Amino acid sequence: MQPFTFHAPTRITFGADTASSAGEFVKELGGTRTLIVTDANLMKAGLLDKILSSFKDDGHFEPVIFSDVPADSDVPCVKQAAQLAIESRCDSLLAVGGGSVIDTAKVVNICLTYGGDLLDYQGLNNLPSRLHPLLCIPTTAGTGSEVSLVAMIKDHAEGKKLLFGSRLLAPDSAILDPALLLSLPPRLTAGTGLDALTHCLEALAAVSTSSSLTDSLSIEAMKMIFANLERATTDGANLEARSNMLVASTMAGLAFTNAGVGIVHAMAHATGGRYGTHHGITNAVFLPYGLDFNRMAIAPKYAYAARQLGITNSTDDAKGADELIRVVVSLIERCGLPSCLKDLGVPEFSEVDLEELAEQAITDPAIMFNPREASAEDIINIYKRAY
Amino acid sequence: MSVFGNSDELKNVMLTLWGRIKTDADMSEKLLRSRLLVQFRYRDPEGLLTVDASDGVELKLIWGRFDQKPVIEMAMKADIAHEFWMGRISVPVAILTGKMVSKGPTPKALALLPVIRPAFDFYPDVVHEVAGEGARK
Ligand SMILES: NC(=O)c1ccc[n+]([C@@H]2O[C@H](COP(=O)([O-])OP(=O)(O)OC[C@H]3O[C@@H](n4cnc5c(N)ncnc54)[C@H](O)[C@@H]3O)[C@@H](O)[C@H]2O)c1
Ligand SMILES: [Fe+2]
């Protein structure tokens, strides 16, 4: 067995309506004045009402609210929120939202805790000391950022995303309240669910870094996703389907943050960085191509997953891998997600676009975990086929 | 005990290794094209190596204090560097187990890997020549 390290420092609490105890959770973490990071849509939809009143009930200082996080948050947004946190003397953070909000809160915490230039902290294992307490309440079921050790923020000056990765970046606590997801529209439900499925499949495929711990989380989360994503997408009010997706997404988060992702994420990052496409939906487009690209390197692992998922009884690895890819494609179709980049709204590529995208994908940190090495030519081929 | 007896031994091995990389036409051309300024910070024993390709003309190797801010900084135990060059530890594993620290834009650090990979072939000889028979491998 190969050596591994598994980090899961986040306390995870699941239950409908658990978010209405947020104030108590922050207090337990030692927070007295809290910056709440969220976005305007969620505020308007009333998703924060119960959370805010929990702070009043608990005799806290009034929390400070930053609700200007855009989709795919960026450096100016982080700086603005950090400024507010510093001026308000906050000592703790609460993120309520999707991956964009949670990643923003993580990087704001870096600025609040250490001060100085946030660019000095980008990189991997590059944080010097413990951060302020962070509680996360995800309102999408996909990114796993509520338990992950990474955050990505757009830097418009460089036209790329800055990566921060450290075990110190894992949130202290996560509240999984499925009631908050009832308002998530079908396309985002499906897209974020496909992000979670991609986390499972890429963590499973990361043969040099995955372990029995990450494999078991990936497989169990996939079972839950296959059984519940379509239902959560078409019947958004179904609390049971939402619950399963939310927990599966956190499990997938634990798997990928300990094993890594791969070529699908690398290509989705390059594409999203350039064309502003949604992270999960972009993963959905590339996932069948990524699975197909890797199958020659790890068909036995895919076949193992297919058998565990009850998709096949066959002991033939090639057949098992085929079956796995087939059910993934079928799920993407049934959830109404686009199957090509054109339908995702990506403009036609020039040769220069393709070269630049390939260059970005082959140097994206996600690709270092991929089981099969991909050349720029391989990536360009996938771009052309996926268009 | 470390593979390297002391900082001088580490210095000699790393400067010899990078000296060979510099004289390899293909590797040095690619490094110069990247215009990167990379710093390797070692501990147990200590050492600081800066590889400066920023002018795109000459690859400069500086051991010890260097006043400019590097684009990328990689920090690790000297033994991890040795394992890396011997091809016995992969970067993803070293990152996930916390054995390597990379500061700065990670894609730039990763772009460096395929460029310097050919040096894996001659690193064992460098250790052998410089650190001698006594070097524990
Ligand atoms: N750090 C990590 O581990 C990690 C992993 C994967 C993705 N990400 C990042 O996460 C981001 C994507 O996050 P996301 O997919 O959660 O989407 P998102 O956070 O960008 O949100 C997308 C939209 O959904 C809306 N929304 C969120 N929850 C809602 C709800 N319950 N009801 C109605 N509307 C709701 C938001 O207002 C927003 O307009 C990307 O920036 C990606 O890079 C991070
Ligand atoms: Fe993702």
Side-chain angles (χ1 to χ4, degrees):
Chain A
M1 193 182 280
Q2 64 193 12
F4 67 86
T5 305
F6 186 86
H7 284 290
T10 308
R11 175 187 175 194
I12 300 163
T13 306
F14 166 82
D17 229 24
T18 36
S20 52
S21 307
E24 204 180 302
F25 275 71
V26 171
K27 200 172 173 185
E28 264 181 44
L29 291 171
T32 57
R33 190 182 292 279
T34 304
L35 179 77
I36 298 183
V37 182
T38 188
D39 75 36
N41 293 338
L42 302 175
M43 280 294 276
K44 213 161 69 194
L47 254 68
L48 274 93
D49 296 353
K50 282 186 185 167
I51 295 171
L52 290 175
S53 46
S54 77
F55 278 80
K56 291 205 179 80
D57 298 346
D58 233 32
H60 272 268
F61 285 115
E62 185 87 7
V64 183
I65 302 173
F66 180 86
S67 61
D68 288 337
V69 178
D72 272 338
S73 182
D74 53 16
V75 172
C77 163
V78 166
K79 287 191 170 163
Q80 220 186 323
Q83 186 65 28
L84 178 63
I86 293 164
E87 280 168 11
S88 315
R89 297 175 184 276
C90 292
D91 60 6
S92 49
L93 289 103
L94 163 60
V96 185
S100 301
V101 164
I102 298 177
D103 280 13
T104 302
K106 286 175 169 175
V107 185
V108 169
N109 202 6
I110 291 175
C111 301
L112 176 65
T113 307
Y114 309 134
D117 186 354
L118 81 104
L119 292 181
D120 284 341
Y121 300 100
Q122 67 167 322
L124 298 166
N125 301 323
N126 184 33
L127 301 188
S129 58
R130 270 188 75 95
L131 294 156
H132 286 300
L134 167 65
L135 167 65
C136 294
I137 306 183
T139 63
T140 60
T143 71
S145 186
E146 68 279 7
V147 289
S148 81
L149 317 179
V150 293
M152 286 177 85
I153 292 293
K154 216 172 205 172
D155 180 7
H156 295 290
E158 287 273 324
K160 290 185 184 138
K161 276 198 167 184
L162 305 176
L163 171 69
F164 301 84
S166 162
R167 65 190 170 81
L168 299 170
L169 213 50
D172 298 272
S173 193
I175 293 180
L176 309 182
D177 184 344
L180 296 178
L181 277 83
L182 298 178
S183 55
L184 190 65
R187 190 176 160 92
L188 279 170
T189 300
T192 47
L194 253 298
D195 189 18
L197 182 63
T198 309
H199 293 156
C200 295
L201 285 161
E202 295 212 290
L204 201 67
V207 279
S208 66
T209 43
S210 59
S211 66
S212 309
L213 287 173
T214 57
D215 284 358
S216 55
L217 285 163
S218 295
I219 301 260
E220 194 56 31
M222 280 200 283
K223 284 183 190 165
M224 294 161 81
I225 294 168
F226 278 114
N228 291 281
L229 180 57
E230 193 181 355
R231 205 146 44 105
T233 302
T234 54
D235 175 15
N238 188 320
L239 195 65
E240 198 51 28
R242 293 289 193 188
S243 300
N244 274 279
M245 282 310 301
L246 185 54
V247 174
S249 145
T250 300
M251 290 162 68
L254 288 171
F256 93 77
T257 206
N258 283 288
V261 277
I263 188 169
V264 176
H265 269 78
M267 295 187 71
H269 289 153
T271 311
R274 204 177 173 101
Y275 303 108
T277 53
H278 178 262
H279 174 72
I281 304 177
T282 316
N283 275 334
V285 172
F286 287 118
L287 183 56
Y289 297 95
L291 293 172
D292 184 48
F293 179 77
N294 284 336
R295 74 194 295 276
M296 69 189 277
I298 50 151
K301 196 97 189 248
Y302 285 161
Y304 167 74
R307 285 191 295 274
Q308 293 296 311
L309 294 170
I311 298 166
T312 181
N313 293 324
S314 172
T315 50
D316 178 340
D317 288 343
K319 216 164 159 187
D322 278 347
E323 284 300 298
L324 184 72
I325 298 175
R326 187 184 58 74
V327 295
V328 168
V329 171
S330 158
L331 181 67
I332 294 170
E333 273 172 21
R334 281 182 283 126
C335 288
L337 287 171
S339 60
C340 64
L341 293 168
K342 192 176 180 184
D343 290 352
L344 192 58
V346 172
E348 211 162 323
F349 301 125
S350 68
E351 286 303 315
V352 176
D353 291 334
L354 284 170
E355 275 163 30
E356 287 175 1
L357 284 162
E359 177 60 29
Q360 268 187 37
I362 56 171
T363 56
D364 189 280
I367 211 155
M368 69 175 150
F369 304 99
N370 201 62
R372 184 179 162 203
E373 200 159 323
S375 65
E377 208 183 337
D378 293 326
I379 300 279
I380 289 175
N381 272 334
I382 297 181
Y383 267 111
K384 286 183 175 162
R385 287 168 57 212
Y387 195 80
Chain B
M1 208 186 116
S2 167
V3 169
F4 306 99
N6 52 47
S7 292
D8 280 342
E9 203 171 290
L10 173 67
K11 172 183 170 181
N12 290 340
V13 168
M14 290 304 166
L15 285 179
T16 308
L17 173 73
W18 280 92
R20 291 212 191 158
I21 292 174
K22 185 176 169 173
T23 53
D24 178 290
D26 192 44
M27 280 191 275
S28 67
E29 194 216 303
K30 284 179 180 154
L31 284 164
L32 287 171
R33 222 184 309 139
S34 76
R35 293 191 174 245
L36 270 184
L37 183 53
V38 196
Q39 198 161 65
F40 298 92
R41 198 175 282 278
Y42 302 115
R43 56 183 201 282
D44 305 332
E46 273 193 25
L48 182 67
L49 170 66
T50 308
V51 177
D52 180 1
S54 59
D55 67 7
V57 179
E58 192 202 345
L59 196 64
K60 299 181 199 77
L61 309 174
I62 304 107
W63 189 265
R65 219 188 103 183
F66 185 79
D67 290 332
Q68 247 172 291
K69 195 175 172 182
V71 178
I72 302 165
E73 250 180 88
M74 301 291 299
M76 69 204 82
K77 277 190 173 177
D79 278 2
I80 294 295
H82 175 73
E83 291 294 303
F84 166 76
W85 286 111
M86 293 296 284
R88 293 198 290 237
I89 189 167
S90 74
V91 172
V93 171
I95 296 284
L96 283 182
T97 51
K99 289 179 177 147
M100 266 186 200
V101 172
S102 111
K103 179 174 174 177
T106 311
K108 289 195 174 157
L110 289 179
L112 199 63
L113 284 177
V115 176
I116 57 174
R117 195 173 289 158
F120 282 31
D121 290 345
F122 54 76
Y123 177 76
D125 291 342
V126 169
V127 179
H128 194 73
E129 283 163 30
V130 178
E133 295 289 343
R136 296 177 341 119
K137 291 184 196 166

